[in-house]
Amino acid sequence: MSQYYERPLKFRVMNVFSNHMVLQREKNIHIFGEAEEGTNVKVTLIHSNGSEVSVKTETENEKWLAILPPCSAELNCSLVVDAYKNSKKIDTIEYTDVAIGEVWLAGGQSNMELELKDCEGGQDTLKYDNNPNVRFYYTQKNPYKNKEFYESEENSGWQTFDSESARAWSAVGYYFARKLSKDLDGVTVGIIGCNWGGTSASAWMNKEALLEDKELSSYVEEYENAIQGISVEEQEKAYDEYLAFHTEWDKKCGQMYVENPNLQWSEVEAVLGPCQWPGPMNVKNPFRPSGLHECMLQRVCPYSLRGFIYYQGESDDHKPHMYYKLFTRMIREWREEFLDEELTFLMVQLTMHRYQYDEDFKNWPIIREAQMDAYKTVKNTGIAVIIDRGEFNNIHPVDKLTVGERLELQALAHVYDKLDKKDAFGPVYDKCIYHDDSIELCFLYAQDGFTVKGEIAGFEIAGRDKQFVTADATIKGDRIIVSSTQIVSPLYVRYLWTNYAEVTVFGKNGLPLAPFRTCKKDETKTQVQTAKIQQIMEV
């Protein structure tokens, strides 16, 4: 079916509104949809005590947006939407079991997407959690606007935890929401899942934003070069053929790893042939620039939110030096899309990861640094440091409880004023003091000192030649002194500047020291290599 399918225009409320929905408390509430020009819309929120509040709006450019005033947290509300044409009522849609509480959008790629049933402890969570006051809306995962896209969307809706669908909720999103509801004295928390494994941040941005910048435009230019001279029908056919091939290939690959978990990627491809993931870059490929922005994010804009939680970056490791620019532009765009430039954005800093047969190309530290820089330079952001929760040879570590709850600490500190920042963070590098033969490191949130698990490790030091060697590190109160007998006049220090290593240094609160380097000029080359093998980052 062609992308040029035109859905008949009629009066609609967007599918992110349904029974069991959660509306954002204490902020203007956006209700929106589609209709023919000249359609008038009345939206009425009916509180549990029977009181009502109504607003009216008109259709503009075949879209309508009604804005209800802020309300306090509440359960058992209903929402009625009436449509009128030429003063005659043409439709009424009513939603029940509406909650007013806290709403967060859970964005990113596979580590945000990883489902509750598949995470560590997830089966017990599903079995034993009782009324966690969490509800979920999953933006449908269909990257192509054909007839099937709209039919699938019509079947989407908000879900409660007692439904079978809770098994497929984002584990990070759920654990974040469960803890937040508890710390907010039982307020209902709604999560809008908007994520897809293996995706670059460029997939979640509109084309115009990417084209604004010469470097970022490379994402669009590479895509347009790939489809040049190929008709839409040919692109559709090519992707459908790839999908059929990949489904069978992936099934056989999984069976091979079950039989021998220590297989090298080259051995798999020697038997099955080359992995063709992510397939031909064309109009049906979910990894194309702006594709999921159009087919997922825009389908829930501008739903009223408290903010975003976001876990992504793995798929941009081939252009790590561009990530800060790409990521911060995406944050700004998402805020614009949701009509609130103050929206809080809580990000997850990438954890440790390296596949067994990969070299350590040190590209992930650059992504982690970009994420920390985004936190430090973009207002209303937070960062959950999870450097200690990685798993060797597994890009999808299964401990999502820790990730969700560290994000929740950030929310308590940055949004709800229920936690001091020193309790939401482990130590974060601040500045350094140079001595003749050592460098003294100063930190934020280390006023109580450090805890070391095993032997202190992960520090490197270099002189003017930028050749790093393993450093000796000594903790003195809230500071760390770094030196090496091999470096006479040290200039540079870095910590955990690696794709994967053991993590040994923590704050007294149990949260890890965030990875860092003291100077971005410590690199001896700007070319960044990436893994030669291709490992699928989809769940």
Side-chain angles (χ1 to χ4, degrees):
M1 297 181 183
S2 169
Q3 71 167 349
Y4 298 115
Y5 171 77
E6 293 186 9
R7 181 169 64 157
L9 182 64
K10 67 173 186 178
F11 173 72
R12 293 184 180 87
V13 184
M14 296 303 287
N15 290 91
V16 69
F17 301 96
S18 73
N19 295 335
H20 316 302
M21 75 179 93
V22 184
L23 301 175
Q24 178 60 48
R25 66 172 177 168
E26 299 168 355
K27 296 180 70 172
N28 290 334
I29 300 171
H30 301 157
I31 313 293
F32 50 94
E34 302 171 343
E36 293 180 345
E37 293 292 334
T39 304
N40 296 312
V41 181
K42 178 184 177 183
V43 177
T44 303
L45 177 64
I46 305 170
H47 295 282
S48 56
N49 64 5
S51 63
E52 300 181 3
V53 58
S54 297
V55 294
K56 296 179 180 179
T57 189
E58 297 181 1
T59 302
E60 183 178 351
N61 296 323
E62 301 182 347
K63 297 184 182 299
W64 58 268
L65 169 65
I67 304 178
L68 292 163
C71 302
S72 299
E74 188 180 358
L75 293 172
N76 302 316
C77 300
S78 57
L79 188 76
V80 178
V81 184
D82 296 308
Y84 300 85
K85 195 76 177 289
N86 300 321
S87 300
K88 181 181 178 181
K89 184 183 288 189
I90 60 171
D91 205 352
T92 295
I93 301 174
E94 182 174 359
Y95 304 103
T96 59
D97 188 30
V98 176
I100 302 173
E102 292 294 302
V103 185
W104 290 79
L105 186 141
Q109 58 180 106
S110 52
N111 276 302
M112 183 63 83
E113 185 182 34
L114 194 138
E115 296 175 354
L116 191 55
K117 64 180 175 60
D118 295 323
C119 75
E120 182 179 76
Q123 294 293 341
D124 285 344
T125 295
L126 289 163
K127 185 176 181 180
Y128 297 115
D129 269 20
N130 181 31
N131 189 27
N133 298 317
V134 178
R135 302 183 185 186
F136 219 94
Y137 176 83
Y138 238 135
T139 311
Q140 65 147 348
K141 293 182 173 71
N142 189 328
Y144 192 57
K145 284 188 177 178
N146 52 20
K147 187 175 181 180
E148 293 173 348
F149 174 95
Y150 295 107
E151 291 173 347
S152 174
E153 188 176 61
E154 289 293 330
N155 293 322
S156 67
W158 282 84
Q159 305 156 355
T160 55
F161 186 73
D162 57 2
S163 65
E164 178 65 20
S165 58
R167 294 168 51 80
W169 291 3
S170 158
V172 170
Y174 173 73
Y175 287 126
F176 168 84
R178 183 183 72 174
K179 186 66 163 58
L180 183 61
S181 176
K182 180 180 178 180
D183 287 337
L184 297 181
D185 300 320
V187 169
T188 301
V189 178
I191 298 292
I192 298 176
C194 196
N195 38 71
W196 192 305
T199 50
S200 161
S202 63
W204 301 100
M205 300 169 61
N206 69 35
K207 181 178 177 180
E208 290 70 24
L210 292 168
L211 291 176
E212 284 176 2
D213 181 86
K214 184 177 180 180
E215 282 189 308
L216 299 186
S217 66
S218 65
Y219 286 94
V220 177
E221 291 164 0
E222 290 165 4
Y223 170 70
E224 292 181 343
N225 288 336
I227 64 171
Q228 188 173 10
I230 307 174
S231 69
V232 171
E233 291 74 17
E234 289 172 324
Q235 293 178 51
E236 292 175 333
K237 183 175 182 292
Y239 194 78
D240 289 343
E241 290 174 349
Y242 154 73
L243 215 53
F245 166 85
H246 178 67
T247 300
E248 187 64 25
W249 193 100
D250 199 39
K251 180 180 178 181
K252 293 177 180 177
C253 175
Q255 291 171 345
M256 289 181 67
Y257 274 112
V258 168
E259 296 168 3
N260 184 359
N262 295 317
L263 276 175
Q264 293 191 39
W265 189 252
S266 58
E267 294 174 316
V268 174
E269 292 193 314
V271 174
L272 301 181
C275 176
Q276 297 178 13
W277 185 87
M281 192 55 63
N282 62 33
V283 295
K284 292 193 77 171
N285 193 309
F287 308 111
R288 69 190 186 276
S290 307
L292 299 182
H293 172 269
E294 175 189 359
C295 294
M296 292 184 71
L297 191 74
Q298 285 193 328
R299 306 308 292 175
V300 296
C301 290
Y303 202 91
S304 298
L305 307 172
R306 181 65 71 187
F308 308 100
I309 55 175
Y310 186 79
Y311 191 165
Q312 187 272 335
E314 301 95 328
S315 287
D316 284 303
D317 69 352
H318 62 299
K319 297 182 179 181
H321 289 98
M322 257 202 254
Y323 191 71
Y324 173 81
K325 184 183 291 186
L326 179 72
F327 184 40
T328 54
R329 182 63 184 91
M330 192 204 79
I331 294 173
R332 178 156 59 95
E333 184 189 333
W334 280 24
R335 288 170 169 173
E336 293 168 354
E337 297 268 11
F338 284 88
L339 306 182
D340 186 347
E341 296 182 3
E342 303 293 322
L343 274 176
T344 299
F345 197 104
L346 306 179
M347 67 198 84
V348 178
Q349 188 184 49
L350 292 188
T351 188
M352 288 293 185
H353 165 70
R354 181 171 69 82
Y355 284 117
Q356 181 177 353
Y357 298 108
D358 281 358
E359 297 178 41
D360 185 354
F361 296 118
K362 301 188 185 301
N363 47 356
W364 280 41
I366 301 171
I367 298 287
R368 296 183 195 118
E369 180 180 65
Q371 292 167 328
M372 183 60 74
D373 286 348
Y375 162 67
K376 292 178 177 179
T377 60
V378 180
K379 66 178 182 180
N380 295 343
T381 58
I383 185 167
V385 177
I386 61 160
I387 194 69
D388 57 320
R389 307 318 298 167
E391 295 178 22
F392 184 69
N393 204 36
N394 183 11
I395 202 168
H396 303 123
V398 294
D399 176 11
K400 299 308 185 196
L401 171 64
T402 300
V403 181
E405 293 194 345
R406 286 187 188 171
L407 277 168
E408 195 261 354
L409 291 178
Q410 293 293 305
L412 294 182
H414 292 289
V415 180
Y416 300 103
D417 295 324
K418 286 182 171 290
L419 193 69
D420 192 289
K421 286 184 181 179
K422 68 180 178 62
D423 298 314
F425 283 94
V428 175
Y429 171 73
D430 183 29
K431 60 186 178 181
C432 66
I433 300 171
Y434 291 95
H435 301 287
D436 288 342
D437 58 356
S438 65
I439 296 179
E440 182 178 352
L441 304 173
C442 307
F443 299 89
L444 303 173
Y445 317 121
Q447 61 281 348
D448 296 325
F450 299 86
T451 296
V452 177
K453 297 182 180 181
E455 295 185 4
I456 191 168
F459 289 91
E460 298 174 281
I461 196 167
R464 192 173 302 278
D465 62 1
K466 304 178 184 179
Q467 299 300 307
F468 281 89
V469 300
T470 300
D472 297 317
T474 303
I475 294 173
K476 291 190 175 181
D478 61 354
R479 301 188 178 190
I480 298 178
I481 312 300
V482 181
S483 64
S484 170
T485 57
Q486 299 178 57
I487 307 297
V488 177
S489 299
L491 287 177
Y492 308 107
V493 171
R494 60 191 190 189
Y495 171 68
L496 292 181
W497 202 256
T498 177
N499 283 12
Y500 185 88
E502 294 300 319
V503 180
T504 62
V505 184
F506 298 78
K508 289 293 186 180
N509 59 5
L511 298 177
L513 167 60
F516 66 90
R517 57 178 170 176
T518 57
C519 181
K520 293 179 183 178
K521 294 181 179 180
D522 68 8
E523 293 182 345
T524 56
K525 59 181 180 179
T526 57
Q527 175 105 25
V528 174
Q529 294 177 290
T530 55
K532 295 178 182 178
I533 66 171
Q534 184 178 26
Q535 294 279 8
I536 298 174
M537 284 187 277
E538 294 181 273
V539 175

